[in-house]
Amino acid sequence: MYVNTKHTKFQTLKKIYTMCARAMKLCIGPQPITSTSTAKKTNQKQLFTRLSRFGISHTDLRVNEIVTRQSWCSNGCRKMPELGHAFLNDAYERCRSVCQEYAKTFYLGTQLMTEDRRRAIWAIYVWCRRTDELVDGPNASNMNNYVLDRWEERLEQIFEGRPYDMLDAALTDTVIKFPIDIKPFKDMIEGMRMDLKKSRYENFQELYLYCYYVAGTVGLMSVPVMGIDPKYSHGSIDKIYNAAVLLGIGNQLTNILRDVGEDALRGRVYLPQDELAQFGLSDADVFARKVNDRWREFMREQINRARFYFNQAEQGASKLNEASRWPVWASMLLYRKILDEIEENDYDNLTKRAYVGRTKKILMLPWALARATSFSNLVLQ
């Protein structure tokens, strides 16, 4: 008899973490879960006394068009290319390898997914990484709009079932199996065009637009793969997609705060100029790479805002397909942990890079499972 060892190991791992999660809930009680209702409202009144949390309307970003097309389309919307099974297995394995090497925290979250979902997420990640490498990779000095136009043409060929190489083939197979629209991918390329012409952002609205292009779009790409709980497959779809965008915004704001020092070395400042000035800071302070009290206060507010976006994403994460809630919550909590590490580094993200060690990541998994199950029950109530 054939035994799927990967599935068996996954189920065993989940049973162990489930027992840990139940123990956690017995020890800590319901307080952390109810914080999203009563305490969350109180906390939000205390936050953002000095910074705006308002970005760009998702209506203006035409997110509703993506939601409509991805909800309408089902498997079989696109013609199947003639790609061999062994070839596709090799393609997905290469995607897995890239993800494991360059996105360790993200990769850990994918290990909690079902096989078809994690393969699809690996393919999406690799395309996004290759897109980002166009402007941030070793050949970035040769980048121009013509190259991005050609990359967009390749994207269209992927969706037409004509992949250029093996990594593209994995994405072609993914968009055949899942109802994924092309617009979020094109929007991400638009974010790369922004990187070509902008290295400063005057206010948070400008930065929010950039965060949507390069990260909020990933949430839109991922929802069809993660799936939506049938109980919420009608009236809550728009809210779930909006939450996915907000999760992407929170992730990108966290990336920006983690990488301030590294970006400064490349002459880039992704912190809103008007907010720097509000705290008596400027680009010169960023490039000087010296942490003082003004910088710490500025960073506290920036971290609070990033956490706000994670908080906003929680209900959407708990309305996903049951098999997807744990990995999404794990990724979300692991990313939030980066913000904790910045605080533990005394807000020095100018000379230090906040890093979450493997032991801490592993210890977060049962907590993520507890949050995923408890929050989902709270939503149902």
Side-chain angles (χ1 to χ4, degrees), residues 170-218:
L171 185 57
T172 292
D173 188 61
T174 292
V175 301
I176 287 168
K177 291 178 177 176
F178 297 93
I180 303 173
D181 189 60
I182 196 172
K183 186 178 185 298
F185 296 84
K186 288 192 171 187
D187 283 350
M188 178 171 281
I189 294 173
E190 190 61 33
M192 301 305 108
R193 291 191 176 98
M194 285 185 72
D195 255 335
L196 285 182
K197 58 188 178 184
K198 286 179 72 70
S199 59
R200 303 291 187 278
Y201 294 84
E202 292 302 317
N203 52 52
F204 182 63
Q205 284 68 40
E206 284 191 9
L207 183 63
Y208 186 98
L209 180 61
Y210 173 75
C211 290
Y212 163 76
Y213 279 143
V214 301
T217 51
V218 179

Side-chain angles (χ1 to χ4, degrees), residues 92 113-121 174 177-178 225:
Y92 280 117
M113 298 176 186
T114 58
E115 184 174 2
D116 59 335
R117 287 188 172 99
R118 66 170 169 258
R119 279 160 58 110
I121 292 298
T174 292
K177 291 178 177 176
F178 297 93
V225 177

Side-chain angles (χ1 to χ4, degrees), residues 145-161:
N145 280 313
Y146 172 79
V147 176
L148 290 176
D149 290 342
R150 178 68 188 98
W151 187 249
E152 188 166 345
E153 290 174 10
R154 276 184 59 172
L155 171 67
E156 291 169 354
Q157 292 168 358
I158 288 171
F159 274 76
E160 292 167 358

Side-chain angles (χ1 to χ4, degrees), residues 4 6-7 10-11 14 109-122 178 224-227 321-328:
N4 187 332
K6 289 184 179 179
H7 180 74
F10 174 80
Q11 291 300 324
K14 187 170 183 179
T110 67
Q111 292 301 102
L112 306 177
M113 298 176 186
T114 58
E115 184 174 2
D116 59 335
R117 287 188 172 99
R118 66 170 169 258
R119 279 160 58 110
I121 292 298
W122 292 337
F178 297 93
V225 177
M226 297 292 102
N321 182 283
E322 185 177 0
S324 299
R325 292 174 198 157
W326 184 21
V328 172

Side-chain angles (χ1 to χ4, degrees), residues 15 55 68 71 81 95 106 119 121-122 155 188 204 215 232 263 270 273 288 290 351 375 377:
K15 286 180 182 178
T68 299
S71 302
C95 291
F106 180 77
R119 279 160 58 110
I121 292 298
W122 292 337
L155 171 67
M188 178 171 281
F204 182 63
Y232 308 108
D263 289 332
Y270 289 97
Q273 295 290 301
K290 292 184 178 179
T351 65
F375 200 102
N377 293 334

